[in-house]
Amino acid sequence: MKIAVLGTGYVGLSTGVCLSQIGHQVTCLDINEQKINQLRNGISPIYEPGLEELLTANMEAGRLRFTTSQTEALTQTEIIIVAVGTPQGEDGAADLSFLVQAAKDISIFINQDTIIVIKSTVPVGTNDFIKKLIEDHCCFKVKMVSNPEFLRQGSAIEDTMKADRIIIGSENEEAARKIHEMYRPLHVPVIVTSTKSAEMIKYASNAFLATKISYINEIANLCEVVGADVQDVARGMGKDKRIGEAFLNAGIGYGGSCFPKDVKALLHTAGAYGVKFPLLKETIAINDYQRELLVLKALKRFGGLKGKKIAMLGLAFKPETDDMREAPSIPLSAALTKYGAEVVAYDPVASENARKIIGDSIKYAGSIAEAVDEADAVLIVTEWNEIKSIDVAEMLTKMKEPIIFDGRNCFPEETIRACRSVEYYPIGKPAIII
Ligand SMILES: NC(=O)c1ccc[n+]([C@@H]2O[C@H](COP(=O)([O-])OP(=O)(O)OC[C@H]3O[C@@H](n4cnc5c(N)ncnc54)[C@H](O)[C@@H]3O)[C@@H](O)[C@H]2O)c1
């Protein structure tokens, strides 16, 4: 099939690459010229394992092209997949301005009836609104398909090629069948629903996962005061098939480009329809507290942080990505510097993106060794493999004081107990002080 993907970010690029991999002719369109130039040279603008190899292979096979030209991408195309950003607006609602612009572009450049697949995360009712917007501005008919995306950054390719399910929401049977056909080579279970249900499935899923994280984090905070171990508790809970093991890792809260904004957008939708949804308010409140927890622990330990050198290991919102959107390292850096600490951070890939957001209020080290040198304490913020496999005993010898606040419970108890002198403060487990 001939497919255009509009918006070449994490979702659009992964989708375009994977659809070309299963044999479709894909043209990816983006307004960001620098991004398209990079992609044309076979360079991925995002860090995503396995992406670049598939990108170059499919470009060489002639199935994948990149362009900034709407004419090239949107005319004579039977399917247009829209994957532009839907960031958080000021009032918490999803900001649909990129989508509205994309719809206007589509209405100008299509020259036949077209299937429009909305992959961006959008509030209930958006597909109907976009259909009207396009048809009001052109003389062709569009068939809408809501096809929300569930990939995780860091495993985007694997998640797309081996998705748990594909949701196809449409009021138009023929369009739903066509999109089902498009995905058939993936052999992934497909659930066909109404457009509104498909739109809701995405928000309901993300808000559920965010709530699961806040739930286990609140259990962790309780574990700490009663003397239980949240990792054992999670293991015991997760084996129950009704609960499941995923998303029970206590830590310093969820971040990233999706959960924070999607929970707020769902709350906004609920409010707009007069539904209060206090559960979501608590999910957000717990997460806000959790994101600064390491600073609260450090303040309790030191009394004050003025002049303390704090090494922050990990900046990205999660491992295997350089994405800094809503990363806990952002509020942590702000709080630490507010209390007068000198922060030296290290991340295997996200430092450059972090500098654009956090700026020069903190220093960026080129290695773990450089970050921890003479530090008063280390904060573990992202559970990169490189950080999990640190030789903890050796790291402690480089520090001024052997103090670790581990926001991701990266180190087994035996590793810590094997250290000669250490103060180790994990999440939801008793501290180890030797
Ligand atoms: N990132 C994720 O892990 C993820 C997972 C599931 C769903 N989603 C959802 O998918 C959507 C896209 O997310 P993302 O992270 O890929 O966004 P992103 O910000 O990384 O990429 C969006 C891209 O769209 C481009 N764009 C904007 N307007 C355009 C236009 N008129 N024409 C062409 N290109 C245009 C931008 O230049 C940008 O490259 C969002 O709704 C998001 O909530 C994201």
Side-chain angles (χ1 to χ4, degrees):
M1 291 180 193
K2 192 163 177 270
I3 300 163
V5 180
L6 196 160
T8 313
Y10 286 86
V11 169
L13 182 56
S14 307
T15 304
V17 166
C18 291
L19 287 174
S20 65
Q21 176 68 10
I22 56 173
H24 298 299
Q25 284 294 330
V26 181
T27 304
C28 292
L29 167 70
D30 206 289
I31 44 174
N32 184 327
E33 254 178 61
Q34 195 193 347
K35 211 178 242 192
I36 292 298
N37 284 339
Q38 265 183 293
L39 286 162
R40 278 186 176 146
N41 289 319
I43 300 164
S44 170
I46 51 170
Y47 175 79
E48 194 60 58
L51 178 62
E52 221 161 69
E53 291 82 337
L54 285 191
L55 172 77
T56 46
N58 284 291
M59 283 170 76
E60 277 164 22
R63 287 189 297 264
L64 181 61
R65 288 183 306 163
F66 294 94
T67 184
T68 53
S69 156
Q70 280 96 354
T71 315
E72 192 185 334
L74 305 178
T75 53
Q76 246 106 47
T77 298
E78 41 184 340
I79 300 169
I80 299 173
I81 300 178
V82 182
V84 297
T86 47
Q88 191 184 309
E90 273 173 21
D91 56 357
D95 173 354
L96 299 180
S97 50
F98 292 114
L99 191 64
V100 167
Q101 185 55 49
K104 286 183 183 161
D105 294 347
I106 289 170
S107 72
I108 295 168
F109 288 96
I110 54 170
N111 59 352
Q112 60 186 40
D113 292 353
T114 309
I115 297 176
I116 308 294
V117 179
I118 305 278
K119 204 167 241 313
S120 304
T121 303
V122 294
V124 174
T126 304
N127 273 261
D128 290 350
F129 156 67
I130 292 296
K131 178 179 171 61
K132 185 165 177 344
L133 187 63
I134 297 173
E135 289 182 346
D136 279 355
H137 287 85
C138 75
C139 52
F140 301 103
K141 288 277 166 222
V142 291
K143 297 165 194 148
M144 301 302 295
V145 175
S146 169
N147 172 222
E149 179 54 58
F150 299 93
L151 66 77
R152 295 162 299 174
Q153 285 173 222
S155 53
I157 295 298
E158 165 115 1
D159 288 351
T160 308
M161 298 302 282
K162 297 181 191 161
D164 291 336
R165 78 307 205 181
I166 289 170
I167 305 295
I168 296 177
S170 186
E171 307 330 313
N172 185 301
E173 260 182 52
E174 189 199 327
R177 242 196 327 273
K178 185 91 182 169
I179 298 308
H180 197 163
E181 202 52 45
M182 177 183 88
Y183 283 122
R184 199 174 295 283
L186 290 176
H187 303 293
V188 166
V190 167
I191 297 172
V192 180
T193 68
S194 71
T195 315
K196 286 184 177 163
S197 298
E199 290 167 333
M200 182 57 93
I201 285 168
K202 176 62 193 176
Y203 281 107
S205 302
N206 271 7
F208 180 82
L209 292 172
T211 302
K212 202 172 174 190
I213 293 173
S214 279
Y215 180 80
I216 198 65
N217 282 337
E218 198 71 322
I219 292 289
N221 295 336
L222 189 55
C223 283
E224 262 178 44
V225 290
V226 301
D229 178 331
V230 75
Q231 282 182 308
D232 287 344
V233 173
R235 226 154 24 101
M237 287 169 66
K239 283 290 173 215
D240 185 329
K241 290 193 192 67
R242 296 169 302 176
I243 296 173
E245 289 174 347
F247 285 77
L248 286 181
N249 291 324
I252 49 174
Y254 59 78
S257 67
C258 291
F259 285 2
K261 79 170 173 69
D262 290 349
V263 176
K264 287 185 185 143
L266 183 57
L267 191 57
H268 188 274
T269 299
Y273 285 87
V275 176
K276 289 205 178 80
F277 219 151
L279 179 65
L280 288 188
K281 289 186 188 145
E282 275 310 307
T283 294
I284 295 167
I286 293 167
N287 201 58
D288 287 345
Y289 173 79
Q290 215 67 17
R291 281 156 70 88
E292 292 196 12
L293 185 57
L294 294 187
V295 175
L296 299 179
K297 288 187 177 203
L299 277 172
K300 192 170 165 205
R301 163 62 182 79
F302 289 112
L305 294 173
K306 201 165 170 36
K308 297 283 178 202
K309 181 184 168 185
I310 307 289
M312 201 159 73
L313 299 187
L315 287 161
F317 86 91
K318 68 174 186 177
E320 302 299 335
T321 182
D322 58 355
D323 198 341
M324 279 295 296
R325 289 178 283 186
E326 295 288 331
S329 60
I330 302 168
L332 279 173
S333 304
L336 287 167
T337 48
K338 185 182 85 187
Y339 287 112
E342 180 203 335
V343 182
V344 184
Y346 168 75
D347 189 282
V349 300
S351 295
E352 208 180 304
N353 285 346
R355 197 190 289 270
K356 289 180 205 151
I357 296 173
I358 300 172
D360 290 327
S361 58
I362 67 169
K363 291 193 182 118
Y364 301 89
S367 66
I368 293 176
E370 187 189 334
V372 304
D373 186 47
E374 286 299 306
D376 291 282
V378 160
L379 264 52
I380 308 286
V381 177
T382 318
E383 65 277 36
W384 284 97
N385 278 337
E386 184 187 347
I387 292 169
K388 286 199 289 191
S389 56
I390 294 171
D391 182 335
V392 179
E394 203 215 308
M395 177 180 80
L396 294 174
T397 64
K398 308 269 186 291
M399 296 169 61
K400 195 155 145 201
E401 293 196 64
I403 302 175
I404 303 172
F405 298 95
D406 185 353
R408 302 293 185 184
N409 289 343
C410 280
F411 308 118
E413 196 176 323
E414 314 82 79
T415 304
I416 301 300
R417 293 214 176 271
C419 299
R420 212 145 44 96
S421 168
V422 65
E423 278 182 48
Y424 179 67
Y425 299 96
I427 301 284
K429 306 200 297 180
I432 299 174
I433 298 172
I434 300 171

